[in-house]
Amino acid sequence: MTGGEIFGELYGTAAMRAVWSARRSVAAMLAVEAALARAEARVGVIPQTAADAISAAADADRFDLDAIAARANVVGYPVVPLTKQLAQHAGPDAGRYVHWGATTQDILDTATVLQAREALALLETDVRDTIDVLAARARQHRDDVMAGRTHLQHALPVTFGYVCALWLAPLPDHVERLRTARERVRIVQFGGAVGTLAALGARGRDVAAALADELGLRLPDAPWHADRSAFAEAACAVALLCGSLAKFATDVVLLMQTEVGEVFEPHAPGRGGSSTMPQKRNPIASEYILAATRGIDALVPLLLGAMAGDHQRSTGPWQTEPLALPQLFVLASAACAHALALARGMTVDVARMRRNLDLTGGLIVSEAVSAALAETLGHERAHALVEAAASTALASNRPFTDVLADMPEIAERFDRADLERLLDPARYTGDAGAVVDRVLARLSEG
Amino acid sequence: MTGGEIFGELYGTAAMRAVWSARRSVAAMLAVEAALARAEARVGVIPQTAADAISAAADADRFDLDAIAARANVVGYPVVPLTKQLAQHAGPDAGRYVHWGATTQDILDTATVLQAREALALLETDVRDTIDVLAARARQHRDDVMAGRTHLQHALPVTFGYVCALWLAPLPDHVERLRTARERVRIVQFGGAVGTLAALGARGRDVAAALADELGLRLPDAPWHADRSAFAEAACAVALLCGSLAKFATDVVLLMQTEVGEVFEPHAPGRGGSSTMPQKRNPIASEYILAATRGIDALVPLLLGAMAGDHQRSTGPWQTEPLALPQLFVLASAACAHALALARGMTVDVARMRRNLDLTGGLIVSEAVSAALAETLGHERAHALVEAAASTALASNRPFTDVLADMPEIAERFDRADLERLLDPARYTGDAGAVVDRVLARLSEG
Amino acid sequence: MTGGEIFGELYGTAAMRAVWSARRSVAAMLAVEAALARAEARVGVIPQTAADAISAAADADRFDLDAIAARANVVGYPVVPLTKQLAQHAGPDAGRYVHWGATTQDILDTATVLQAREALALLETDVRDTIDVLAARARQHRDDVMAGRTHLQHALPVTFGYVCALWLAPLPDHVERLRTARERVRIVQFGGAVGTLAALGARGRDVAAALADELGLRLPDAPWHADRSAFAEAACAVALLCGSLAKFATDVVLLMQTEVGEVFEPHAPGRGGSSTMPQKRNPIASEYILAATRGIDALVPLLLGAMAGDHQRSTGPWQTEPLALPQLFVLASAACAHALALARGMTVDVARMRRNLDLTGGLIVSEAVSAALAETLGHERAHALVEAAASTALASNRPFTDVLADMPEIAERFDRADLERLLDPARYTGDAGAVVDRVLARLSEG
Amino acid sequence: MTGGEIFGELYGTAAMRAVWSARRSVAAMLAVEAALARAEARVGVIPQTAADAISAAADADRFDLDAIAARANVVGYPVVPLTKQLAQHAGPDAGRYVHWGATTQDILDTATVLQAREALALLETDVRDTIDVLAARARQHRDDVMAGRTHLQHALPVTFGYVCALWLAPLPDHVERLRTARERVRIVQFGGAVGTLAALGARGRDVAAALADELGLRLPDAPWHADRSAFAEAACAVALLCGSLAKFATDVVLLMQTEVGEVFEPHAPGRGGSSTMPQKRNPIASEYILAATRGIDALVPLLLGAMAGDHQRSTGPWQTEPLALPQLFVLASAACAHALALARGMTVDVARMRRNLDLTGGLIVSEAVSAALAETLGHERAHALVEAAASTALASNRPFTDVLADMPEIAERFDRADLERLLDPARYTGDAGAVVDRVLARLSEG
């Protein structure tokens, strides 16, 4: 996202950008190198004094990032220049033990694991907060009637609490997916050149175990230099989460339309302001949720494709990960932050909801009429009759109630008062309230 | 995959194609309609006789598929013409109770769930068989030495058992992912027009519960017409699985190269035969695994994008699912079937593996030399020396051992016999055997 | 799109499906084999009698497709069994000259070229018709005022003719892109095993030239077995076209909303009908345009990725083409057909457009006020004042005009009549009419 | 590509990153604002003194980027804070004329056009240089024989010049596509809020024309706020180009394998060096070409999807462009630069090519034998015989020539000397030289 800095945090939060910044990436690699030194000292592969010196030297703030970048251009990866600087900082005695028995990808992968773990935790926090806020919204608006819409047409009445519950319902599973992904990704990478720890002789596995312990990671049965499923799964979990946030944003964008006006993004002075049209309130947060999610969806195949690596460490596919993974998390941070802000600050116009519901003069509950008639006329006949009435109402711009009342087959079964009662939208929210109750109950269980 | 029929089962097995065939799709929808009728009879919403008649009439073989398709063109979906035929088959008394209280998407979604459940089970069977076969391979070749390769260069020795173990290692997690996806997707969809079951009054939830029971599905807290995470998650699980199969195929394609010739696809007369070059053995199965996986990866964003639907039932995104989901499963069936056949039938040339390993005259274990030297010279100096020797060997085409033996710094530390022993590749497989053992042990645990 | 048959032509027209059907694919391959025989007879490589017999035998209706498919499973491609059947039909004397000097991919690629040429022409016809229809619409509604919307908010007035002109404007370039793609893809593939025509000795190039001539194709300088840019470019051209159609569909879906109701899809009895809600008019055509376009967009990376093939004929990437290319065209046929039907049959409610325009009580022209004020107050002050008035109007639900009239800075510059005149939306369509005129003028030039 | 800085220029050149940097993006927007002021002064909309002051103030180095970013967070876009700073720099008299009649997207889009124009030119330069270098390579190696490979198997002999010609052949069309894209994208965006230039009254079109003139851009017939085809087409052109570069990289990666060793990436000390294996020469440039191209392919659907915007300026899809477009160009710059460096510096081992060709003991020309025999035995019988001989040779590890010589049907037609002559690979490069000549001739024409 070059050039994107002037977009501020619209495409990613400062906190998440920090996790994947050059400085923090170097810090993560240094944390791995230092932990490796300590692990090797614990197992007796290198002297404890060397481990101490390396640990002390592994301070990212002392490293020359430009020099690392310049040398990465030549070598192909930043690890060699980084270890060279680390060895210099550690001094000649300790310096020769830096990166002992490791391969470039051991360091890069384990560092990425540390960053991904932090990134997944950041997202989870936002999602959990969003769940709480949406739960309160669902409770508050449990019985506020509005038009339910399918294919962007009024269909049947629902409540805004129900709509909030539908936004909320998939989120607890997403939290679970994030946690599963975090647990699967929490693995140390340490195998040396081809994953066999050949350089460390009999003590390789012990070093690996100690390294995992130092970093709070799991020790997998096999090296995963060429098994990228953990990162790809994390990407999928994040994309699935953002898919549900994009559904939320899609609804808000539509509910905020001038002609609908039922829900509004939170307003700050200048927010969503047009440079030319003072009356505008653009759905900025929602737009960036949608854009971020599309960006994420596009990155998922990159991470899936990176799985098809060759042999013990791969040639090309793997190189897409440093491109795709940080960006995916940064975009997800934007989606999550915008969604949380939206859930917290959105303004709801309950009166407008009710007015919109009445826009179609009872047409919205025509299914109910259809169902009522179906009991005596059968489904098909009822459907046909009501469709005819609806067509007439739409064509003639007469209220649906009036048209129905004029139909002999209807008139002989219902008087006007019955019809009007029958056509009161508030009677037809069906199971909406119970859906809200169940979704909220599940939260308190979970 | 129009026109693809002349490619036989190369892009999908007959069994999986059958699951998603027009006839079976109709059968699945009919199974839902019939189960709905029975459920509604159990709850007392419709007469038991109607339910019996509808169940009896719901035989896909009696349905006119062309008529459904022709009418779908007009209506936009196949459900209305299908229910019309069902009502006709059930007779006028029962026919009026067909599809009672349901909406088009209730039927389509629940039918898709039934098909997806079967599809996931088919894939799981193939993966489990592949695990068994690869486990036997890993055991058999545990100690057969070959070149480990990174960046497509010889790196350090490994064993073919180790390579098999790396192919195998991610598969148990994929089985778990398929099962999680199967459990998450095992949900009934039943909510009527906007998910509120408005047409069924107080008995809606009981009908939904009875319907879930009839079909062996879970009853979710809320309708999921506009929450597509279950299907998207299933797609991710399948894509993750195929990513690992594509890694297997990538390796086989490379190992089967004329210049490598270590592993070969199973051969049948004419298999992978060229129309013009009789000597060719093309890696057909692997090529189709790779193609299928790329196809699957491309479909994943479609299913993720379908999550961003609008309101209670969506306008456009959802319509990508009938396009993407069946195809994703069909392609996955090809990948799984080819992978299983490959694992079962591949031919291994252990002697060639050893010959290739010796190709570089000891260069492949230069790291070991580097490591040995590092103990006295330090990592950097050792690395520099060995790099120089390697450059000389490569440039002069002299055996690496000879070049090393001529270097004073080396000669003063190692005699020729030591050097040759030091450079025997078979000594440097490190942890490879233990990796095999651990991966196999995990299987017997799981 | 397995299982998709019950969706009729919603995801692809019968005409386009026919182009890529198994039967027509076989016919295209046979056309190439027959043309090759004739070309070789012309050059004197094979006897004319053999060419005649092969040409006569190359009748797709006589071929057993199931047998081809069954054998393709083993061989990996349908060409070997197809040539075997062709040789049988041609008889023993001629049969031995079938496929002379060609490789499997020569036949598959050239056949695909023939089909792609036809497919591109089909799409072009629909686009040209759509241009004509939209041009008439733009002319007809040149001065029908409606709300212009940005970020789904009322912004400034436009006309419906202007909206039609915006839908229309990109289409002529798309026609040009389709033609460029058709010209680029119109290339014969004929090179034998590695593209060198080795089997034909000195006469190879002459045969290639004669073959191109027989089929009405261009003869490229080099074989393109491993240069897939022509197909990938065709895919891009089609995707770009459908991108513009998706913009059209997006607008229609939004304009058709219950709360907007300005434009409607053409209605046929049952069209877009809900199975339960008789009042519904779902935007079926638009939804399938959107779904098809998303499907197409997902396929483009597959065809781009197929470019990265290995060596002289590739291993895996190429196999994604038979998967992606036919499907891309089939989906595009749906998008084009739905778009044409939509352009032809859509219903426009000009009165509703005007009513919606007045919804905001003049707010929609606040920019004009802002601009008018800017002349004396400067841009920023004017913007601030009008923003304040808009906020007040929105918050208090008072007409914008009234709020403005009450502001001292405004009142001292404009009397009430001036203000009302200033706020008449019909005055602010600016360049809209001229845009229509220019877009239409360009058409008559082109 | 957050965090990517430590990868230096591996994922993008400094020159291209500069084009899309925050500073240069601001400079491009300022160039548009300044040109707009001058254009409006020319037409008489604003005073010349104001235009002069605004032009003088539009110096990106004086702008506070952090302040723009911070405010963009609130407003949703960087344009409002940028114009505010510009107005301050220009002073109160001129400041009020800043951004006169424009909308945010006018500035963002036209600035992006300026950057895209420069970016496309940068890529074109590299491609043209690559063409020159590859042409020299093709000429130099016109007759150096090597194995042609299909499905990663030896197929028939080719020459390395031919291989270079195949890498080269698609590039001139890509240059043409870049130019077409550059011409199509070279369009000014200027329409105000809804594209109708309403704020400028009758002089709007004149201002637009003057603005286009100031910036050296074309003036389109209609605004293109919601027609994103020009950017999407540019993305496609770039992706198509990189597809061909990825094919080049794929071949180099494979040719550089330890077991093949025919072509090597240029070597600098440390280049592609392993941190642990001194003998390694990793194909770094090729790997990053492949990774960049995959990244680009993933971005194309984002830009295609951005076409489906709503109404006059869109809500979400458009916001993916600032995410995707700069990144696509940056990645392409990496692919182009690596490809050029590769073409320039690659090392070719002609002797190894010849040795590899002989690896299969004549098997590689079995097609030629097949063809020769076909003249008397018919295609099928010859194919069968030679396939049998090949199988025997492969199974028994005997030279193919010997096996053939022992077959009665062969022996009665060819003596041993004939056979050996027949099996000399150098005789079977067919049209390869002529392909080189034609591809080179086309270059001198173009």
Side-chain angles (χ1 to χ4, degrees), chain D residues 97-109:
Chain D
Y97 295 107
V98 162
H99 195 67
W100 195 267
T103 194
T104 288
Q105 199 179 336
D106 289 337
I107 306 307
L108 282 169
D109 278 350

Side-chain angles (χ1 to χ4, degrees), chain A residues 149-155 253 256-259 274 276 278-282 287 366-367 383 386 391, chain C residues 149-154 253 256-259 274 276 278-282 287 366-367 383 386 391:
Chain A
R149 296 167 176 102
T150 67
H151 300 270
L152 286 177
Q153 305 292 307
H154 280 199
V253 160
M256 196 168 158
Q257 290 175 99
T258 304
E259 289 88 353
S274 157
T276 49
Q279 89 280 11
K280 294 287 296 293
R281 292 285 175 274
N282 294 333
E287 294 183 8
S366 57
E367 187 202 14
H383 188 92
V386 174
S391 295
Chain C
R149 296 167 176 101
T150 67
H151 301 268
L152 286 177
Q153 305 291 307
H154 281 200
V253 160
M256 198 168 158
Q257 290 175 98
T258 303
E259 289 88 353
S274 157
T276 49
Q279 89 280 12
K280 293 287 296 292
R281 292 286 175 273
N282 294 333
E287 295 183 8
S366 58
E367 187 201 16
H383 188 93
V386 174
S391 296

Side-chain angles (χ1 to χ4, degrees), chain D residues 215-251:
Chain D
L215 295 167
L217 301 176
R218 287 188 297 115
L219 177 64
D221 294 327
W224 47 280
H225 294 120
D227 165 24
R228 317 308 294 173
S229 48
F231 287 149
E233 180 178 34
C236 289
V238 170
L240 287 165
L241 161 65
C242 293
S244 290
L245 302 181
K247 191 269 177 289
F248 176 27
T250 299
D251 285 354

Side-chain angles (χ1 to χ4, degrees), chain B residues 20 222 231 247 262 279 357:
Chain B
W20 299 98
F231 288 149
K247 191 272 177 285
E262 301 182 357
Q279 89 280 9
L357 187 57

Side-chain angles (χ1 to χ4, degrees), chain A residues 6 31 42-43 63 93 101 110-111 164 234 289 316 352 385 406 408 418 425:
Chain A
I6 47 169
R42 275 166 58 181
V43 175
F63 280 67
D93 288 341
T110 308
C164 292
I289 293 172
R352 180 76 184 265
L385 260 186
D406 288 353
D418 282 348

